[in-house]
């Protein structure tokens, strides 16, 4: 049986190889769906705006590679409050984008919460994809950067005063214990 197994396995392998070569078994390989357009990324920022000043929206569009995307950027802004106020406070600006950060100057805004949305539309959609980003901001911040509520500086994420005082106390106690231990020896 062992003598016949080797030749028959060679015949079966050769037959399978010939069927695959002729295309009888399996299907031809196809390319994966591929989009040649490069994805873009939008970034929108709004500096602190004082009540009654014009809002400035900064937009930066980036893409992978060394070629900067070009096209148009549309910035839509509205007030985040009741629907009737939102409809009355809506504004739009469309500007040309040439590959560097741009500043879009909007209208004078009233105190309150607002939102700005930037949408990039490339000149050549086969080369670059669209992108969009939005940012929520508050108008009416005072000179110190406070949110208009209680004034003062915003919380920068530093440690609370209690933790700071506890740390100073631990250092003082540790220093005292180390000094006392030195005197005994």
């Amino acid at each position: 049986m062992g003598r016949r197994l080797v030749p028959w396995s060679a015949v079966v392998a050769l037959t399978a190889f010939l069927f695959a070569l002729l295309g009888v078994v399996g299907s031809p390989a196809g390319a994966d769906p591929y989009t040649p357009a490069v994805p873009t990324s939008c970034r929108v920022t709004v500096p602190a705006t004082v009540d009654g000043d014009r809002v400035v929206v900064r937009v930066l569009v980036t893409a992978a590679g060394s070629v900067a995307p070009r096209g148009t950027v549309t910035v839509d802004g509205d007030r985040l409050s009741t629907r009737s106020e939102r409809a009355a406070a809506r504004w739009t600006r469309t500007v040309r984008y040439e590959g560097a950060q741009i500043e879009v100057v909007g209208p004078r805004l009233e105190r309150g919460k607002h939102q700005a949305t930037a949408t990039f539309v490339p000149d050549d959609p086969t080369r670059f994809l669209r992108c969009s980003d939005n940012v929520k901001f508050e108008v009416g911040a005072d000179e110190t950067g406070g949110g208009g509520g209680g004034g003062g500086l915003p919380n920068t994420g530093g440690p609370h005063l209690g933790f700071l005082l506890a740390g100073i106390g631990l250092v003082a106690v540790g220093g005292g214990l180390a000094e006392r231990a030195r005197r005994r020896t």
Side-chain angles (χ1 to χ4, degrees), residues 79-117:
R79 186 177 176 130
L80 296 176
S81 56
T82 63
R83 287 186 184 164
S84 61
E85 287 178 349
R86 188 179 307 151
R90 189 166 279 170
W91 56 276
T92 300
R93 303 280 190 277
T94 301
V95 295
R96 180 85 186 130
Y97 188 83
E98 293 292 336
Q101 180 174 322
I102 58 171
E103 290 187 353
V104 178
V105 179
R108 297 184 191 283
L109 298 178
E110 296 178 7
R111 180 179 296 268
K113 295 183 180 190
H114 298 266
Q115 179 174 335
T117 303

Side-chain angles (χ1 to χ4, degrees), residues 37-94:
V38 176
T40 57
S41 175
C42 293
R43 185 166 191 290
V44 180
T45 57
V46 177
T49 305
V50 179
D51 187 20
D53 283 351
R54 291 181 166 272
V55 65
V56 176
V57 179
R58 294 182 182 140
V59 181
L60 178 65
V61 180
T62 56
S66 61
V67 179
R70 300 185 190 294
T72 57
V73 171
T74 302
V75 177
D76 296 313
D78 60 4
R79 186 177 176 130
L80 296 176
S81 56
T82 63
R83 287 186 184 164
S84 61
E85 287 178 349
R86 188 179 307 151
R90 189 166 279 170
W91 56 276
T92 300
R93 303 280 190 277
T94 301

